[in-house]
Amino acid sequence: MALPCAKCPSSSSRFAPSPPHPVLPRSSRCRAAPSLSSLDCLSRRLVASGVAARPPGRRNSCAFNMVCAQEAVTAPAPSPKGTPSKKSENNGSLTTAVPSKEDSSLTGFTAGGNESTVSITVVGASGDLAKKKIFPALFALYYEGCLPKHFTVFGYARSKMTDAELRNMVSKTLTCRIDKRENCSDKMDEFLKRCFYHSGQYDSEENFTELDKKLREHEAGRISNRLFYLSIPPNIFIDVVKCASTSASSANGWTRVIVEKPFGRDSESSAALTRGLKQYLVEDQIFRIDHYLGKELVENLSVLRFSNLVFEPLWSRQYIRNVQLIFSEDFGTEGRGGYFDSYGIIRDIMQNHLLQILALFAMETPVSLDAEDIRNEKVKVLRSMKPLLLENVVVGQYKSHTKGGITYPAYIDDKTVPKDSLTPTFAAAALFIDNARWDGVPFLMKAGKALHTKRAEIRVQFRHVPGNLYKRSFGTDIDRATNELVIRVQPDEAIYLKINNKVPGLGMRLDRSKLNLHYAARYSKEIPDAYERLLLDAIEGERRLFIRSDELDAAWELFTPLLKELEEKKIAPELYPYGSRGPVGAHYLAAKYNVRWGDLSAEHYPD
Ligand code: NDP
Ligand code: BG6
């Protein structure tokens, strides 16, 4: 029996164990799939045949465009309607589609019937994020065989553009980075032929009705599933959602909306945004993106903890001294100063990216890998956080600095930033979780722009060994002897554990070494961009990596009082030179809790 097969494992198959040497019987290998790796095919087979754990309610999606001769597989054939639409998501109000005479090889007009299509509309297609991240991610998914057989990408924005102009714009940002495989330019051409553009206003139902007409032409009578990606400034989110839902939502499939951050500026504005969205959408249709959750090592955090016996028993106040969540960029806000000045680093990075990582890190074991079970645990962590006090926060702003004959600008040198701006470009904070597992453990966060390095990492510093027999070998600095687990999210992904060992030889000299999982050395496959994973999840209806509204409320509840206090008291940020290690206040804050920033002490005790 020929079953649909996918080169790309569905999200559920990402939980499938990947055997090191996937040897399949010839008859069960995927065919007609030049770029299909047998590993992916095997992983999919494991899921299809029920060998791998599949969370309840997960679908066999991403199973669109390849044929697998899988005599050995006994999975049921997919539903004739393809991806089932969830009733709660189906907000459609339109009637039957009208096929046109377009090229059937592209739009599949002659097919009609029960097959399904996915139409992805990038709203704000002329913008930076669309060019930089969304279109390249969609192409990568197409290249990897992860998009359905019938899909269309529409760009929507006010700028006037023809389809050809959009394709030309998009083509400049597509890359063939994926494992340097062949046929990339052919694939690009094929992908670009599936991309179209519609120019319209964001608050015009008439313009969205025109878009709907075009989408229906491409859907050609198939079951229509529609994904709108709001890559626009937040003040127009509601207008777009209103028009898209009333005039361009699917009549017979699902309609989903990916919402980019920022989700408000504080508790009130965030609640107002959620209320506005929920006038037209149900929660299940809203996919609030935090692209850090799509990063490989952030996704791996739960795997590391819950599938290795050696970590979970240590994951508490009993063994962990402190946890550090560090984000730094070695460039300023160049080009985004206008946006940044009304948000600042706390809203831009801490309230979302770092706090999401903290919640994932600290949550209790979820009942299952189901999205709701995971999000339930995350929200409990967020709601258990102690109020964040001003005395536990340090803010900074970068100033101009000249190095090697080059002058780097101050934050306030940006023309779009007021000269007297107090907006922090750096912040450090000490947070505490008021529950039995984490009572008293400082979770230190640090985020900054225009620092000396670009990195994102999680550092877990373990307690001292009680009555350490070897303490003399470490001199007076017993912090040197403690274990540290580092999860380097980027760049150069790695997970390493610092341990103590004996220097080989007749003496007894101790050394500090790393047990190192260095991704580039371990895996030849390039790591997908976070946007690829998240777009695929949204298409599949997998919500695990998206933010639920109660998570968002809890995150704002934590940060809003602090942000208000900073703004009302007009707290002046400590200035730090562009390219430096940030304000010295961050060291004092850490010292207050007997902590040393791991990223900086690594310079003294090499990583
Ligand atoms: P842009 O400022 O480039 O805006 C996207 C498009 O929206 C523009 O091309 C423009 O299209 C339209 N637009 C811009 N300003 C307005 C306005 N005031 N009123 C109506 N339409 C407007 O944004 P980005 O592409 O940088 O980001 C999109 C979203 O993603 C934003 O919410 C941003 O905060 C978020 N984001 C961006 C990141 C990035 O790296 N760029 C990173 C993370 C989140 P047109 O004029 O053609 O209609
Ligand atoms: C975005 C912030 O969410 O994340 C930006 O708005 C920041 O200010 C960016 O530069 C960092 O993302 P990444 O994936 O490049 O680390």
Side-chain angles (χ1 to χ4, degrees):
M1 179 176 66
L3 282 178
C5 173
K7 186 227 145 290
C8 162
S10 73
S11 306
S12 49
S13 72
R14 292 177 209 155
F15 303 124
S18 304
H21 304 294
V23 183
L24 283 178
R26 215 182 164 72
S27 60
S28 64
R29 284 192 192 142
C30 287
R31 59 177 151 77
S35 59
L36 182 63
S37 77
S38 55
L39 179 65
D40 288 335
C41 185
L42 175 66
S43 130
R44 175 148 185 82
R45 281 185 60 227
L46 288 168
V47 170
S49 58
V51 173
R54 180 188 306 166
R58 296 299 311 274
R59 281 164 292 193
N60 252 358
S61 44
C62 195
F64 305 104
N65 51 354
M66 281 162 221
V67 178
C68 212
Q70 293 185 346
E71 290 87 337
V73 177
T74 53
S79 131
K81 294 199 170 198
T83 310
S85 62
K86 265 191 137 187
K87 195 150 190 261
S88 60
E89 283 185 311
N90 195 342
N91 205 33
S93 56
L94 300 169
T95 47
T96 328
V98 186
S100 84
K101 290 189 187 112
E102 264 190 76
D103 179 359
S104 63
S105 67
L106 272 186
T107 60
F109 271 110
T110 51
N114 288 329
E115 283 184 279
S116 64
T117 66
V118 173
S119 305
I120 302 154
T121 303
V122 182
V123 183
S126 55
D128 179 58
L129 186 73
K131 280 183 255 185
K132 211 170 61 183
K133 292 289 184 185
I134 305 171
F135 286 111
L138 286 170
F139 171 62
L141 289 175
Y142 176 69
Y143 191 96
E144 292 275 316
C146 291
L147 291 183
K149 177 177 172 191
H150 301 293
F151 80 92
T152 308
V153 177
F154 258 84
Y156 185 101
R158 296 170 308 182
S159 304
K160 299 279 175 231
M161 245 192 282
T162 61
D163 292 343
E165 282 164 343
L166 174 89
R167 288 170 189 162
N168 185 36
M169 180 191 90
V170 169
S171 69
K172 292 186 183 137
T173 61
L174 302 185
T175 57
C176 293
R177 62 158 186 79
I178 318 132
D179 295 345
K180 300 180 188 62
R181 279 192 235 127
E182 289 151 20
N183 305 329
C184 190
S185 58
D186 293 348
K187 284 276 186 186
M188 268 190 200
D189 290 344
E190 288 166 23
F191 173 76
L192 290 169
K193 282 184 193 157
R194 307 278 198 107
C195 295
F196 302 87
Y197 184 75
H198 187 73
S199 165
Q201 297 299 317
Y202 297 113
D203 58 356
S204 163
E205 291 191 13
E206 192 189 333
N207 292 160
F208 274 85
T209 304
E210 292 156 10
L211 171 72
D212 175 68
K213 185 163 174 280
K214 287 187 180 173
L215 292 177
R216 280 192 286 146
E217 284 171 2
H218 288 274
E219 289 162 355
R222 298 185 186 87
I223 291 169
S224 106
N225 295 310
R226 294 186 179 176
L227 178 65
F228 291 87
Y229 195 127
L230 305 194
S231 181
I232 42 175
N235 59 317
I236 48 175
F237 283 171
I238 312 273
D239 287 342
V240 170
V241 165
K242 176 172 183 249
C243 295
S245 97
T246 52
S247 307
S249 64
S250 163
N252 54 7
W254 50 255
T255 302
R256 297 179 187 145
V257 179
I258 298 183
V259 187
E260 259 297 345
K261 63 180 267 264
F263 315 118
R265 292 188 79 251
D266 51 25
S267 292
E268 293 81 36
S269 52
S270 167
L273 179 58
T274 298
R275 270 198 309 278
L277 293 175
K278 287 191 178 173
Q279 276 180 273
Y280 307 103
L281 302 168
V282 296
E283 177 67 23
D284 268 3
Q285 291 180 284
I286 306 171
F287 288 69
R288 296 179 192 83
I289 206 165
D290 182 319
H291 76 283
Y292 264 64
L293 291 182
K295 296 206 183 250
E296 186 66 39
L297 267 75
V298 176
E299 211 189 357
N300 193 38
L301 198 51
S302 300
V303 179
L304 184 73
R305 181 177 161 197
F306 297 122
S307 75
N308 292 295
L309 185 66
V310 294
F311 292 118
E312 178 53 18
L314 305 182
W315 223 254
S316 72
R317 63 190 301 276
Q318 223 181 328
Y319 296 102
I320 292 179
R321 206 158 34 113
N322 67 75
V323 180
Q324 304 178 15
L325 305 154
I326 299 169
F327 168 96
S328 74
E329 281 181 339
D330 55 1
F331 48 88
T333 57
E334 293 95 322
R336 286 185 83 212
Y339 150 79
F340 193 86
D341 200 61
S342 55
Y343 287 90
I345 199 81
I346 297 176
R347 292 184 177 93
D348 193 42
I349 304 292
M350 278 190 170
Q351 182 270 351
N352 36 70
H353 303 329
L354 295 188
L355 191 62
Q356 281 297 318
I357 297 178
L358 182 151
L360 262 183
F361 180 96
M363 71 182 180
E364 296 299 314
T365 312
V367 173
S368 76
L369 292 170
D370 212 38
E372 298 321 317
D373 290 331
I374 294 175
R375 299 195 292 186
N376 287 345
E377 294 308 327
K378 279 169 63 198
V379 85
K380 281 186 211 161
V381 174
L382 298 176
R383 292 179 56 202
S384 306
M385 307 285 307
K386 280 193 176 169
L388 180 50
L389 305 176
L390 188 56
E391 67 202 42
N392 279 339
V393 175
V394 169
V395 287
Q397 189 187 83
Y398 62 89
K399 62 180 183 183
S400 171
H401 181 58
T402 303
K403 196 176 167 189
I406 302 172
T407 299
Y408 297 90
Y411 172 66
I412 52 166
D413 289 341
D414 188 323
K415 286 191 183 65
T416 55
V417 171
K419 288 283 170 235
D420 57 354
S421 172
L422 297 179
T423 300
T425 58
F426 175 99
L431 298 109
F432 293 88
I433 304 171
D434 206 2
N435 67 14
R437 185 185 283 269
W438 296 114
D439 189 15
V441 177
F443 281 76
L444 291 180
M445 278 186 185
K446 184 164 71 165
K449 302 231 171 218
L451 294 172
H452 72 301
T453 182
K454 175 170 167 54
R455 71 166 91 187
E457 61 190 15
I458 308 163
R459 286 180 175 260
V460 187
Q461 296 188 340
F462 290 92
R463 291 195 183 281
H464 304 126
V465 175
N468 194 338
L469 284 176
Y470 295 98
K471 59 176 173 282
R472 282 217 207 125
S473 312
F474 294 101
T476 49
D477 188 356
I478 58 164
D479 279 359
R480 280 199 71 184
T482 60
N483 299 117
E484 185 175 27
L485 175 69
V486 182
I487 298 160
R488 191 162 65 217
V489 176
Q490 66 185 31
D492 201 16
E493 293 82 348
I495 301 174
Y496 55 90
L497 178 65
K498 291 190 191 170
I499 58 152
N500 303 309
N501 60 288
K502 178 180 166 300
V503 177
L506 298 178
M508 178 53 75
R509 212 154 49 82
L510 296 202
D511 195 10
R512 207 152 152 63
S513 304
K514 284 198 290 185
L515 302 180
N516 192 357
L517 167 56
H518 180 222
Y519 274 55
R522 175 76 178 90
Y523 300 104
S524 55
K525 202 171 180 348
E526 212 170 309
I527 292 177
D529 187 77
Y531 281 85
E532 291 169 38
R533 189 186 314 277
L534 294 168
L535 271 160
L536 182 58
D537 278 356
I539 292 169
E540 292 186 342
E542 168 59 65
R543 292 170 181 78
R544 196 166 41 94
L545 301 178
F546 294 89
I547 321 286
R548 209 168 58 186
S549 66
D550 54 347
E551 285 184 80
L552 182 60
D553 294 345
W556 277 123
E557 230 166 86
L558 177 65
F559 279 99
T560 299
L562 168 82
L563 288 161
K564 286 211 163 120
E565 200 175 347
L566 278 169
E567 282 156 13
E568 277 162 19
K569 292 187 174 160
K570 296 193 188 317
I571 303 289
E574 186 180 331
L575 298 179
Y576 61 96
Y578 193 119
S580 69
R581 285 164 175 72
V584 84
H587 295 273
Y588 292 124
L589 175 66
K592 185 169 145 189
Y593 294 103
N594 291 321
V595 178
R596 268 190 259 189
W597 290 105
D599 58 328
L600 301 181
S601 51
E603 287 157 15
H604 308 297
Y605 312 128
D607 260 352

